[in-house]
Amino acid sequence: MSSSEIKRGVPEGLWIKCPTCKATLFKKDVERNLNVCEQCQHHFYTSAGDRIAQLLDENTFEEWDANLQPVDTLGFVDSQPYSKRIVDQQKKTGLKDAAVTGRGFIRGRGVVIGITDFAFMAGSMGSVVGEKLARAAERATELRVPLIFVSGSGGGARMQEGILSLMQMAKISAALAKYDSAGGLYICVLTNPTMGGVAASWAFQGDITLAEPKAMIGFAGARTIKNTIRLELPDGFQTSEFLMKHGFVDRIVHRRDLRTEVAQLIDYCDMK
C-alpha cells in the first residue's frame, strides 16, 4: 500500500473547543491549567476528584460514606427506569452518586469537605447526596473544623426521588444550623452551574460565599423565568458577577487562587 493510500487521522479527544472564545485547545494543556482556558480564562467542568486534588494537600483526603448509593424507592420511569439510570451513571462516572465527602487538609489546615459533581445526573440532589452532606456537616460540628462545600449541582432536587429529594434541602439546612450554632465556619464555593433546590438551600447558607468566574447560579433557568413573568431579564442575569454586584456572593475567585483563598479565610476567621 502506497503512502498516499494510508490515511492518518487525528485521534479523537486530543482537542477541545472553548465555548466562550471558540479557541481550539490542546486538552492536556487545559488539564494542566486546572481545566481553565488559557486564552479567555473560561472555567471548564471539573470532576469531584480533580477538585479534591486542586484544593486539598496531597494524599490527605479521607473519604467518608463512599458506599452509600441511591435506590429507586418510587419505581420512577421517564425515558428509562431510574434504577437503570443509576447503574448507567455509576458506570459512566465511577461515582456511587453525585456527592463526595470526607476530611483533609488545605495548606495544613484541617477541614471537612463536600463536593457535588455535575457529571452524575447534573449533580442533582437525591437522598444520598443529602445524607452525605448532612453527615459531613454533623462531623464538622463534632471535629470543630471548617466546613467547605463545593457546588456543581445544575440539576437541583432530583425529580426521580420526588419528595424524598426535596426533603434533603431541609435536612442539610438543619445540620448546617447546628454547625453554625456550635461556632463553625462554613465556606461555600459556587461553580458552574449551581441551580434549583441546591441554590435554594445549602449553596447560599455559607458564612462566606465564593464563586468561580462567570458561573451560572440561580433557582429557575432564565428561559423559565422569562416565559413565566414575560419580562426581559438584565444583562448577565444569574452569573456570579451579577450576584456579587447584588450582594449574594462575597468574592469571585479564579480556580488557580481558590486553595490559597480558602486557607487565608480560615486563618482570618480563626475558629479556635
Side-chain angles (χ1 to χ4, degrees):
M1 183 180 292
S2 67
S3 59
S4 62
E5 294 176 311
I6 300 175
K7 294 183 179 180
R8 297 182 180 273
V10 177
E12 293 184 2
L14 291 180
W15 302 88
I16 58 176
K17 189 172 185 178
C18 176
T20 300
C21 69
K22 311 304 179 184
T24 300
L25 308 167
F26 188 46
K27 187 176 181 180
K28 288 191 179 296
D29 286 343
V30 175
E31 291 172 349
R32 279 191 288 267
N33 199 39
L34 304 181
N35 287 323
V36 175
C37 174
E38 293 182 348
Q39 304 295 322
C40 70
Q41 306 307 307
H42 171 81
H43 284 47
F44 287 92
Y45 156 80
T46 297
S47 69
D50 284 344
R51 290 197 182 277
I52 288 167
Q54 292 168 11
L55 274 173
L56 298 184
D57 299 346
E58 189 175 2
N59 297 323
T60 65
F61 180 62
E62 173 192 335
E63 186 173 359
W64 292 336
D65 305 313
N67 292 322
L68 287 183
Q69 55 184 325
V71 294
D72 186 12
T73 304
L74 304 180
F76 191 96
V77 179
D78 46 50
S79 60
Q80 64 180 152
Y82 180 41
S83 56
K84 183 179 185 304
R85 193 181 295 277
I86 292 169
V87 174
D88 290 347
Q89 290 291 305
Q90 289 174 338
K91 289 179 180 178
K92 173 186 172 184
T93 64
L95 300 170
K96 296 290 186 182
D97 208 313
V100 177
T101 60
R103 66 182 299 182
F105 290 85
I106 297 178
R107 298 200 183 281
R109 299 144 180 90
V111 299
V112 169
I113 190 166
I115 300 171
T116 54
D117 193 321
F118 184 81
F120 195 106
M121 295 187 70
S124 55
M125 182 171 59
S127 300
V128 168
V129 172
E131 182 68 14
K132 292 180 77 168
L133 295 181
R135 289 187 188 185
E138 291 167 354
R139 289 168 180 165
T141 306
E142 296 170 2
L143 295 170
R144 296 189 59 78
V145 297
L147 174 65
I148 317 295
F149 281 168
V150 182
S151 169
S153 293
R158 189 173 299 173
M159 68 175 186
Q160 291 87 350
E161 295 187 22
I163 192 64
L164 299 175
S165 176
L166 290 172
M167 67 181 287
Q168 306 308 314
M169 297 168 62
K171 183 168 73 177
I172 300 172
S173 296
L176 289 172
K178 291 181 180 179
Y179 176 73
D180 180 68
S181 296
L185 171 63
Y186 171 36
I187 300 173
C188 195
V189 182
L190 311 182
T191 74
N192 183 48
T194 295
M195 300 293 291
V198 170
S201 57
W202 55 267
F204 275 103
Q205 293 176 356
D207 297 301
I208 300 170
T209 303
L210 307 178
E212 290 189 336
K214 296 181 173 59
M216 183 174 72
I217 304 165
F219 183 64
R223 184 171 57 183
T224 301
I225 295 173
K226 184 176 180 180
N227 289 337
T228 301
I229 64 176
R230 309 294 179 183
L231 292 175
E232 288 293 329
L233 300 172
D235 291 339
F237 181 68
Q238 291 188 325
T239 63
S240 47
E241 289 76 11
F242 183 92
L243 293 177
M244 182 173 173
K245 181 179 178 180
H246 290 82
F248 288 91
V249 167
D250 295 307
R251 188 169 296 178
I252 296 171
V253 184
H254 193 287
R255 193 173 290 164
R256 66 169 174 261
D257 301 321
L258 185 58
R259 186 163 173 250
T260 298
E261 184 77 18
V262 171
Q264 290 176 340
L265 287 170
I266 291 171
D267 286 348
Y268 181 79
C269 296
D270 191 15
M271 287 181 60
K272 296 181 180 179

